[in-house]
């Protein structure tokens, strides 16, 4: 009879140890998982600039029209104009225009002014436009979506 009780107590202790190990391993993995997710989430960093408003890092705007054309605009840094919050001054700008039934048009420039409402963009300083094998460079590029024009 003592053998039975000893075996049952040993089995109970082994079961408690297993449950404790599983509990700690599960919660430790959950904490690591939370830390991993937190590190992967990219937050937009903002600072306040007394002269012009808010500085925003790593900006992405996208826009599509009724015809199925798509426009993406990326910038390393942007400043929102306090006097006109629809306008943004951007630095180190990259844009891609995806026209329906056409390969994408890539645009790179040092600076750009972007209107968040009309999506009109004025690229300037070291502007480079590439489409397939064609490459154009200039100092200014103005894109107007309301007129469907691009002037370089």
């Amino acid at each position: 009879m003592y053998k039975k009780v000893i075996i049952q107590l040993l089995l109970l202790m082994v079961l408690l140890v297993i449950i404790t190990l599983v509990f700690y391993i599960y919660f430790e993995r959950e904490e690591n998982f939370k830390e991993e997710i937190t590190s992967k989430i990219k937050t937009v960093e903002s600072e306040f600039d007394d002269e012009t408003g808010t500085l925003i890092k790593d900006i992405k705007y996208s826009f599509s029209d009724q015809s199925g054309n798509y426009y993406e605009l990326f910038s390393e840094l942007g400043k929102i104009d306090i006097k006109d919050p629809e306008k943004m001054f951007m630095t180190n700008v990259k844009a891609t225009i995806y026209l329906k039934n056409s390969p994408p048009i890539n645009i790179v420039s040092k600076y750009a002014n972007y209107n968040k409402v009309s999506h009109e963009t004025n690229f300037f300083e070291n502007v480079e436009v590439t489409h397939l094998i064609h490459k154009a460079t200039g100092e200014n590029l103005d894109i107007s979506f309301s007129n469907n024009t691009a002037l370089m």
Side-chain angles (χ1 to χ4, degrees):
M1 177 147 157
Y2 288 114
K3 276 185 163 180
K4 268 184 159 179
V5 171
I6 292 176
I7 291 174
Q8 287 176 350
L9 284 174
L10 283 173
L11 285 173
L12 182 64
M13 286 176 54
V14 168
L15 182 65
L16 287 174
V17 168
I18 291 173
I19 289 173
T20 305
L21 286 173
V22 168
F23 181 78
Y24 283 113
I25 290 172
Y26 172 76
F27 282 109
E28 185 175 321
R29 282 189 183 166
E30 187 174 293
E31 280 183 22
N32 288 340
F33 183 69
K34 286 180 183 177
E35 289 173 10
E36 187 176 312
I37 288 176
T38 305
S39 67
K40 286 184 180 180
I41 294 175
K42 188 175 187 180
T43 58
V44 176
E45 300 173 16
S46 300
E47 303 173 4
F48 189 74
D49 181 12
D50 292 332
E51 291 179 12
T52 58
T54 304
L55 293 175
I56 304 173
K57 295 180 182 178
D58 299 326
I59 302 168
K60 177 184 177 187
Y61 283 106
S62 59
F63 162 71
S64 61
D65 63 9
Q66 296 171 347
S67 305
N69 301 317
Y70 187 72
Y71 178 61
E72 287 181 326
L73 184 65
F74 303 95
S75 175
E76 286 182 12
L77 184 67
K79 292 181 186 180
I80 298 173
D81 188 359
I82 289 178
K83 296 174 186 169
D84 189 0
E86 294 175 356
K87 293 183 180 179
M88 179 174 284
F89 177 76
M90 300 177 158
T91 305
N92 296 331
V93 185
K94 294 179 183 177
T96 306
I97 301 172
Y98 300 94
L99 298 175
K100 192 174 180 182
N101 301 322
S102 176
I105 300 168
N106 296 307
I107 303 166
V108 178
S109 75
K110 182 72 176 168
Y111 304 109
N113 288 321
Y114 176 69
N115 186 311
K116 296 184 280 186
V117 176
S118 67
H119 308 289
E120 292 192 13
T121 312
N122 304 326
F123 299 93
F124 54 97
E125 197 169 318
N126 300 328
V127 180
E128 185 177 291
V129 180
T130 56
H131 181 255
L132 293 174
I133 60 170
H134 305 287
K135 183 177 181 180
T137 58
E139 287 303 311
N140 294 320
L141 172 65
D142 299 330
I143 297 177
S144 172
F145 289 98
S146 58
N147 299 331
N148 289 327
T149 59
L151 297 169
M152 186 170 213

